[in-house]
């Protein structure tokens, strides 16, 4: 339990009934605002996909998907999604979505290798979204504009939550700060990536860190990212590479940085090929998704995921994600959390 954070004198500001009502309020309000801001329509998404098509999200490349055989498909194996990063792009083509519009969906996943703590659960729920863009929109300025629109939806949701439950007090800043991961490294060269995130979020309150996945000047990436959806290797026009990033805030309940979203402009054919080579994953070129993209059959897009339970956790000022969602936790974690005011569902 050493990774758990126990806020001193923590006491949930909402009881169980208020929490359940608050979850419903936050989820319904935010997704409607996200849909309006980015011109997205809701679609239905799969819980699992067939193995061997290259459609599942590989995250950092080491997490094992949950798999099972399908009797009526000759024992072909399916795997529970990690996210829908690549599935959405295929759906944009299938639905013939026009540039400037997109889709969003409720993504539910099981990540059996997750290290459990205040923010991480075996069960992952997020709004996965994807929008079609034009070639000249594959720029850092376009990415920033989309980030600002998402952040404005987050701010409106915070206002509603605090108006509904006066015991909650708003803490998010009016503006989100942008910084490249290389700039962040130069600011705090002696800190780990996580410590750098804490430092910059403590300073600005809300930050979008650009360029997640590519190697920095110290030879290490700020964080891992699969090579076949986000574009983390294309020069962005300001001397740095990367057209993706993470939205993070400073969360006073836990006194740490808190990631709410991972997103970015997606790879085109050139970036995909380059990143497969950089990652030593060129064998993926033969998979269905990768063949379709490399042959120019998929639309250019921007997309990402926004944690549902995480957003609710922040909006309702909870100290553990298990206060928001029902999942499986070690018995000793449940006991420790109960003793420190965190009553897990």
């Amino acid at each position: 339990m050493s990774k758990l954070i126990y806020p001193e004198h923590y006491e949930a500001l909402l009881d169980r009934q208020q929490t359940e009502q608050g979850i419903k309020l936050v989820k319904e309000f935010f997704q409607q605002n996200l849909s309006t801001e980015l011109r997205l329509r809701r679609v239905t998404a799969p819980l699992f996909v067939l193995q061997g098509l290259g459609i599942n999200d590989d995250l950092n490349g080491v997490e094992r998907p949950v798999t099972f055989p399908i009797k009526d498909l000759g024992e072909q194996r399916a795997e529970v999604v990690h996210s829908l990063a690549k599935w959405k792009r295929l759906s944009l083509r299938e639905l013939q979505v026009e540039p400037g519009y997109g889709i969003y969906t409720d993504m539910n996943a099981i990540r059996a290798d997750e290290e459990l703590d205040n923010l991480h659960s075996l069960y992952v729920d997020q709004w996965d979204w994807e929008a079609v863009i034009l070639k000249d929109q594959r720029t850092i300025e376009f990415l920033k504009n989309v980030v600002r629109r998402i952040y404005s939806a987050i701010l409106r949701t915070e206002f509603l939550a605090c108006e509904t439950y006066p015991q909650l007090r708003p803490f998010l800043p009016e503006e989100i700060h942008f910084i490249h991961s290389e700039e962040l490294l130069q600011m705090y060269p002696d800190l780990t990536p996580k410590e750098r995130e804490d430092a910059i979020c403590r300073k600005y309150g809300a930050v979008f860190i650009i360029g997640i996945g590519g190697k920095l000047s110290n030879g290490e990436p700020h964080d891992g990212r699969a090579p076949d959806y986000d574009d983390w290797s294309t020069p962005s026009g300001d001397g740095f590479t990367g057209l993706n990033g993470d939205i993070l805030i400073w969360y006073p309940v836990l006194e740490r940085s808190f990631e709410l979203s991972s997103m970015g402009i997606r790879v085109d054919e050139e970036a995909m090929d380059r990143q497969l080579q950089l990652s030593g994953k060129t064998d993926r070129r033969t998979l269905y998704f990768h063949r379709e993209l490399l042959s120019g059959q998929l639309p250019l897009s921007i997309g990402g995921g926004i944690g549902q339970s995480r957003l609710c956790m922040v909006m309702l000022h909870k100290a553990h994600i298990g206060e928001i969602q029902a999942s499986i936790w070690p018995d000793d974690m449940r006991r420790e959390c109960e003793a420190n005011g965190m009553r897990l569902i």
Side-chain angles (χ1 to χ4, degrees), residues 44-61:
T44 300
L47 175 61
F48 40 80
V49 293
L50 280 176
Q51 211 173 49
L53 296 179
I55 297 175
N56 203 358
D57 179 359
D58 295 294
L59 301 177
N60 293 314

Side-chain angles (χ1 to χ4, degrees), residues 30-303:
F30 177 77
Q31 69 180 341
Q32 185 58 54
N33 273 261
L34 180 70
S35 172
T36 301
E37 279 286 352
L38 302 185
R39 295 194 287 187
L40 311 173
R41 69 175 186 261
R42 190 186 183 284
V43 298
T44 300
L47 175 61
F48 40 80
V49 293
L50 280 176
Q51 211 173 49
L53 296 179
I55 297 175
N56 203 358
D57 179 359
D58 295 294
L59 301 177
N60 293 314
V62 296
E63 297 87 349
R64 300 168 300 168
V66 176
T67 65
F68 59 92
I70 305 171
K71 177 183 175 182
D72 279 359
L73 290 182
E75 299 302 310
Q76 285 189 72
R77 298 193 71 84
E79 52 188 37
V80 176
V81 297
H82 279 147
S83 86
L84 299 169
K86 291 178 277 188
W87 176 88
K88 291 175 297 182
R89 201 159 173 185
L90 294 168
S91 296
L92 290 176
R93 178 182 65 178
E94 181 181 347
L95 296 169
Q96 299 181 339
V97 177
E98 295 293 324
Y101 295 88
I103 59 176
Y104 79 95
T105 190
D106 293 298
M107 191 286 299
N108 296 284
I110 300 171
R111 296 183 182 173
D113 289 333
E114 201 72 83
E115 295 185 12
L116 308 180
D117 57 26
N118 298 71
L119 305 187
H120 297 90
S121 170
L122 299 175
Y123 169 57
V124 178
D125 58 340
Q126 64 185 33
W127 290 285
D128 251 320
W129 65 274
E130 199 85 9
V132 179
I133 62 174
L134 300 171
K135 189 173 184 62
D136 62 7
Q137 291 175 316
R138 300 188 77 256
T139 66
I140 198 67
E141 285 309 315
F142 182 81
L143 174 64
K144 289 180 178 180
N145 178 262
V146 174
V147 170
R148 290 188 186 100
R149 286 153 66 186
I150 294 172
Y151 187 67
S152 69
I154 293 173
L155 286 179
R156 287 194 294 273
T157 306
E158 182 188 46
F159 176 80
L160 177 66
C162 293
E163 283 289 292
T164 304
Y165 303 105
Q167 61 269 48
L168 304 177
R169 293 287 184 267
F171 61 85
L172 293 175
E174 287 300 309
E175 304 290 337
I176 187 167
H177 179 76
F178 294 89
I179 188 168
H180 194 278
S181 54
E182 178 62 35
E183 293 178 278
L184 191 57
L185 172 62
Q186 298 305 318
M187 285 179 65
Y188 306 108
D190 298 325
L191 301 184
T192 67
K194 179 64 183 66
E195 290 170 341
R196 296 198 290 270
E197 291 177 358
D198 286 343
I200 199 68
C201 287
R202 185 184 293 110
K203 182 176 182 178
Y204 290 104
V207 181
F208 185 75
I209 300 178
I210 304 166
I212 308 291
K215 288 185 179 180
L216 305 178
S217 58
N218 64 357
E220 301 290 335
H222 180 81
D223 199 359
R225 197 68 96 241
D228 41 19
Y229 53 96
D230 277 357
D231 186 337
W232 42 256
S233 65
T234 293
S236 58
D238 56 3
F240 299 113
T241 58
L243 295 173
N244 72 335
D246 293 340
I247 296 175
L248 300 101
I249 62 164
W250 178 253
Y251 190 41
V253 174
L254 296 177
E255 295 188 326
R256 57 158 290 173
S257 59
F258 191 115
E259 182 186 323
L260 288 175
S261 175
S262 172
M263 58 174 288
I265 291 172
R266 306 309 200 184
V267 289
D268 57 11
E269 300 95 312
E270 181 182 346
M272 160 82 91
D273 195 55
R274 177 172 57 249
Q275 291 178 186
L276 289 177
Q277 292 185 54
L278 288 171
S279 303
K281 304 290 187 181
T282 53
D283 56 311
R284 295 188 186 180
R285 290 171 176 160
T286 62
L287 300 175
Y288 171 72
F289 173 83
H290 302 72
R291 292 200 313 270
E292 293 297 289
L293 196 151
L294 290 170
S295 62
Q297 300 302 308
L298 300 182
L300 299 175
S301 67
I302 182 173

